[in-house]
Amino acid sequence: MELRRVLVEAPAKINLALRVLGRRSDGYHRLDTVVQLVELVDTVELTVVPGSGRITVGSDQPDLPTGPDNLAYRAAELFCRHIEGQAGINIFLWKQIPAAAGLGGGSSDAAGTLAGLNWLWGSPLTLGELREIGAQLGSDVPLFLADANTGSLRVGGRGELLTPLALLTDWWVVLAKPPVGVSTAWAYAHCCPSGRHLNLGQWPPTLTSLTELVVNDLRPAVEAEYPIIGEIRRFLAQCLPVAEMTGSGSTVFALAREETAAREARWLLRECFPAVWSTVVPLRSAGVTVRPVESCR
C-alpha cells in the first residue's frame, strides 16, 4: 500500500417515497422506498498508521461521537475483523450533512469508511461483501455503496434489497432542517405502517407522476410530535411542486426543475424561518466516491 491516505466523498440521500410495510421478527421494519442521492457530501479522511493497532475518530463538529457510538468507528472495526488487519486507522469527518436529519449522514460516513479502507488495502472485499458488512451497521449503509450512475434506487427489505433505477436528471433540491433532531428508533416505534407497496409504473417520472409518488409513512407521527416540520413542509409545498419529509426527519426536501426557482424558495424560507438550516443542491449519480489524496484539490 504505497498510498496511506484517501479522502472519500460521502453523499446525503433523500427518500422520495417511503412506505413502511410492517415489523419484522427481528424488530426491524420492512420498507419499500425510493432513495435519491444528492450533492451534499461529508468528506471522510482515512489515514493508515502502521503498527498502531488503534482506531481514532475526529471531526470538525465537536459534539459528534468519536468512539464506538460513531458508525464510521464501527465500520473500521468490522472491516479490520474481516481482513484480519492490524494497522491503526485514523478517521476524520468533515461534516456538511446535519445529524438526526433523515439525510443518512452517519450511514454514508460508515459506507465511505468501508469503501476507503477497502481501497487502501488493495480491494480484498467485493462490493457485495462490503454491503453485507454495511447491513450489520444500519439499514441505510448498503445503499451508499452504489455503483456509478445508480444515484436513484428502490430499496426493500430492511435496506438490503437494492434495485437501481434510471437516473433522475435536471432536478434541484431544497433541503430545510429545523433546529430539532428526530430519533430514527422513535419514528419507527410511533409510525402506523401502511402495508402498501409503491407503484412505480412510470419511471423516470413526469412531474405529475412524481407528485403522486411522493409519500412518507413516518411523517404523520413525526409531524404530530414536531409541528415545525409540518409548517416547513406546507410552506415549501406552496413554493414548489413537490415537498416531503425525508426518512425519519427532521429535514424536509422540495424539488424544482430550475435552480432559480429552488433558490427563490430557499430565500423565502429563510425570511419566514430564520432559525432553519437550508441549502440548495442538485441530484447525484453515484454513491460514496474514493479520491486518492494526490488527486484531491
Side-chain angles (χ1 to χ4, degrees):
M1 294 184 296
E2 294 181 3
L3 184 62
R4 310 298 290 180
R5 188 161 63 101
V6 294
L7 303 181
V8 186
E9 291 182 354
K13 59 83 179 172
I14 56 174
N15 298 86
L16 291 176
L18 193 161
R19 287 294 193 189
V20 182
L21 305 180
R23 186 183 292 271
R24 297 160 36 125
S25 59
D26 59 6
Y28 286 94
H29 286 77
R30 292 182 296 112
L31 304 177
D32 188 10
T33 181
V34 174
V35 172
Q36 174 61 54
L37 303 182
V38 300
E39 285 289 355
L40 175 68
V41 299
D42 288 347
T43 300
V44 181
E45 182 178 351
L46 299 167
T47 305
V48 176
V49 184
S52 154
R54 296 177 61 244
I55 298 171
T56 64
V57 177
S59 175
D60 61 345
Q61 298 293 321
D63 56 345
L64 198 74
T66 57
D69 289 339
N70 187 289
L71 280 183
Y73 181 104
R74 290 163 55 194
E77 278 190 322
L78 284 179
F79 179 85
C80 289
R81 286 181 205 162
H82 275 75
I83 65 162
E84 299 181 355
Q86 299 299 317
I89 300 167
N90 291 347
I91 305 169
F92 197 90
L93 305 175
W94 304 92
K95 297 290 294 180
Q96 291 192 73
I97 305 171
L103 295 169
S107 295
S108 189
D109 293 346
T113 298
L114 292 174
L117 292 178
N118 197 51
W119 193 94
L120 283 167
W121 259 265
S123 301
L125 302 180
T126 66
L127 179 61
E129 289 171 327
L130 291 176
R131 285 176 173 167
E132 288 178 6
I133 296 173
Q136 299 176 48
L137 296 163
S139 298
D140 281 345
V141 177
L143 70 88
F144 291 105
L145 293 162
D147 299 319
N149 297 317
T150 52
S152 307
L153 297 157
R154 187 174 189 172
V155 182
R158 74 170 187 89
E160 77 281 8
L161 305 177
L162 305 176
T163 303
L165 299 172
L167 286 172
L168 288 183
T169 57
D170 301 324
W171 287 91
W172 289 81
V173 185
V174 181
L175 300 174
K177 181 191 179 298
V180 297
V182 179
S183 161
T184 300
W186 184 95
Y188 278 97
H190 290 81
C191 78
C192 292
S194 67
R196 298 171 58 188
H197 286 274
L198 298 170
N199 180 7
L200 297 187
Q202 182 175 10
W203 192 272
T206 63
L207 177 58
T208 299
S209 61
L210 182 61
T211 303
E212 295 171 351
L213 171 68
V214 169
V215 67
N216 188 334
D217 283 349
L218 299 176
R219 171 169 52 81
V222 173
E223 283 190 352
E225 185 72 12
Y226 303 98
I228 182 65
I229 297 174
E231 293 175 23
I232 294 169
R233 179 181 59 83
R234 289 186 290 271
F235 179 89
L236 286 174
Q238 294 176 347
C239 302
L240 296 172
V242 179
E244 183 55 276
M245 186 183 81
T246 177
S248 56
S250 58
T251 299
V252 174
F253 70 88
L255 297 176
R257 279 294 194 185
E258 301 292 336
E259 182 183 3
T260 53
R263 295 200 177 278
E264 181 178 355
R266 186 200 180 206
W267 181 83
L268 293 171
L269 179 78
R270 294 176 70 180
E271 288 289 305
C272 295
F273 298 90
V276 170
W277 173 90
S278 63
T279 190
V280 173
V281 292
L283 303 184
R284 181 181 171 98
S285 63
V288 295
T289 306
V290 179
R291 306 289 190 195
V293 168
E294 293 176 347
S295 68
C296 291
R297 297 179 181 177

